[in-house]
Amino acid sequence: MFGRLLPVTRNLLIANVVLFALQMLLNDADTLAVTRWLGLWPYGHSTVVDMGNGQLATLGFQPWQLVSYGFLHGSVMHIVLNMYGLYMFGSLIEGVMGARRFAIYYFVCLVAAAVAQLAVLYLFEPDRMFPTVGASGAVFGLLGAFAMLFPREKLILIPIPIGIPAWLFVTLYGVAELVFGITGTLAGVAHFAHLGGLIAGLALLWAWGVRPPPRRWQG
């Protein structure tokens, strides 16, 4: 499988899998052995928690978490879905952009997703003290790039059983994420991080002069 992957995409997949394996090895869901350092904790305050055996840990925001959180995941299903998205779109977009620009694009989307999540929590849930983890914001950025570069390619939006153009797929998905975020639907999902990654990706492509290919009219 890795033989068909371009280098940045391949390395991102490997890094995510290795970090998730470390989480499993250290029972991170209970110990926070990895997430206490690398998860994205809310900005503005910290807390001290008893980790057991008399060990105290200070949990709070650190600048490196703007990137590191994107290599951790909360469950097997979480990492499977994100890595599937990275696998599906990563090499294709990397092949169009080139390795250097693709890496810049990916990490801009990842950081923008983190900033969006931190801003929403700071403004509307200032007392929340739970970490955000996952590559979803960057994967949404890849989805936006796919829609910009290949707007008429067909994608399937579950539960709609037919393919729809990528530009419409991303539009519907983005609207759904906005509605879910505002209404609090699917609690525990960082909807505004997804939107942050998507919007930042599209804005960066626009700044780079990338435009959707012109529509071909047939007589």
Side-chain angles (χ1 to χ4, degrees), residues 92-105:
L92 177 63
I93 297 169
E94 184 178 347
V96 174
M97 292 184 176
R100 180 177 177 274
R101 182 161 284 196
F102 175 76
I104 293 171
Y105 182 84

Side-chain angles (χ1 to χ4, degrees), residues 28-197:
D28 184 68
D30 295 323
T31 66
L32 297 179
V34 182
T35 301
R36 64 184 283 192
W37 302 108
L38 303 184
L40 180 66
W41 293 90
Y43 177 80
H45 62 279
S46 59
T47 186
V48 177
V49 298
D50 185 354
M51 305 300 294
N53 299 322
Q55 181 184 7
L56 300 178
T58 301
L59 305 177
F61 172 77
Q62 299 292 340
W64 64 78
Q65 296 169 3
L66 293 169
V67 173
S68 63
Y69 84 102
F71 294 89
L72 305 183
H73 289 84
S75 67
V76 172
M77 183 58 67
H78 190 199
I79 190 171
V80 166
L81 290 175
N82 278 339
M83 294 305 98
Y84 179 72
L86 178 55
Y87 172 77
M88 288 292 294
F89 300 111
S91 284
L92 177 63
I93 297 169
E94 184 178 347
V96 174
M97 292 184 176
R100 180 177 177 274
R101 182 161 284 196
F102 175 76
I104 293 171
Y105 182 84
Y106 185 91
F107 284 103
V108 165
C109 293
L110 190 68
V111 172
V115 171
Q117 178 71 358
L118 290 177
V120 168
L121 293 179
Y122 184 82
L123 293 173
F124 302 107
E125 298 184 64
D127 296 325
R128 176 178 170 176
M129 200 57 194
F130 296 98
T132 299
V133 296
S136 303
V139 172
F140 264 75
L142 298 183
L143 188 60
F146 182 83
M148 179 74 82
L149 296 168
F150 310 100
R152 289 178 287 281
E153 290 294 324
K154 297 295 181 67
L155 296 172
I156 295 177
L157 180 63
I158 298 173
I160 302 173
I162 58 174
I164 58 177
W167 70 267
L168 181 57
F169 179 99
V170 171
T171 300
L172 293 176
Y173 211 157
V175 170
E177 287 292 324
L178 179 61
V179 172
F180 291 158
I182 292 174
T183 61
T185 305
L186 299 177
V189 178
H191 300 293
F192 290 104
H194 298 171
L195 286 171

